[in-house]
Amino acid sequence: MTDTRGPQPQYEGYATGPLPGEREPAAGQAGPYHPPQAYPTPVGGTQGGVGPQGGARGAEGAQATRLPRTGARTTPRTRKARLRVAKADPWSVMKVSFLLSIALGICTVVASAVLWMVMDAMGVFETVGGTISEATGSNESNGFDLQSFLSLPRVLIFTSVIAVIDVVLATALATLGSFIYNLSAGFVGGVELTLAEDE
């Protein structure tokens, strides 16, 4: 098979020259490559960019930004709110006062029992009872027996009766007081409170 195309021209640049990676850069392209930009760069440059005006603006922005002081002591702020108690719910007041009066009655009974036992251990009833029996006694009778009158069961019964009366009265008075407060708050606006919160 014969070649009928005839002699072909030789490309000296590719045949005898260096490869693309081995070529030396041209004289006009000695610096780094800068791609073409779609929009021209403004004359003053961007804020904080390179240039005389951009550098001045960047310096002004750095001076305008306030850096926190590490040695400064910050004082906590106190937020205050002024509120007004316009109405008290009688039902909730009755429940709270009932529970509180029951707790107070139980504390009264326990305190009376402890006080009686302490006084009996110190011999107060015997000394005072002997003095009263001698003062009120005669040849025919021994006088008033204080120690038998102020026995522990009698003291506990008497204290329990007082605690029950206290529960009833405290609950009733607190509920009545809530009604009176609601009536007075309707005329004068209620009690004003100032609440403060520390941050």
Side-chain angles (χ1 to χ4, degrees):
M1 184 174 180
T2 60
D3 189 5
T4 59
R5 293 179 299 173
Q8 300 292 330
Q10 297 292 333
Y11 297 97
E12 297 179 357
Y14 289 98
T16 61
L19 297 176
E22 299 176 354
R23 295 177 184 176
E24 296 181 0
Q29 299 181 354
Y33 174 74
H34 297 282
Q37 298 181 358
Y39 300 98
T41 306
V43 179
T46 58
Q47 184 175 1
V50 180
Q53 297 181 0
R57 292 180 182 177
E60 292 176 358
Q63 292 178 0
T65 304
R66 298 181 60 185
L67 299 177
R69 294 180 300 175
T70 56
R73 299 179 62 184
T74 58
T75 57
R77 295 185 304 169
T78 302
R79 295 190 301 176
K80 294 183 179 180
R82 191 173 183 180
L83 304 177
R84 178 181 299 173
V85 182
K87 184 180 179 182
D89 187 16
W91 176 248
S92 62
V93 171
M94 186 183 69
K95 291 188 294 185
V96 172
S97 61
F98 178 72
L99 293 178
L100 290 178
S101 58
I102 287 179
L104 182 60
I106 294 174
C107 292
T108 304
V109 173
V110 173
S112 300
V114 173
L115 182 61
W116 188 92
M117 288 187 289
V118 170
M119 294 178 66
D120 185 50
M122 294 174 60
V124 175
F125 295 116
E126 294 180 0
T127 305
V128 177
T131 305
I132 293 177
S133 62
E134 289 178 0
T136 58
S138 60
N139 296 330
E140 298 177 356
S141 61
N142 295 329
F144 182 74
D145 191 3
L146 181 64
Q147 190 172 0
S148 61
F149 179 76
L150 293 179
S151 60
L152 182 60
R154 286 189 178 183
V155 171
L156 292 179
I157 291 174
F158 182 72
T159 309
S160 301
V161 171
I162 292 178
V164 171
I165 295 174
D166 179 60
V167 168
V168 175
L169 289 179
T171 305
L173 290 176
T175 307
L176 181 61
S178 66
F179 279 107
I180 296 175
Y181 176 79
N182 291 336
L183 291 176
S184 61
F187 292 101
V188 298
V191 178
E192 292 184 358
L193 302 175
T194 302
L195 305 179
E197 179 184 1
D198 294 336
E199 291 185 355

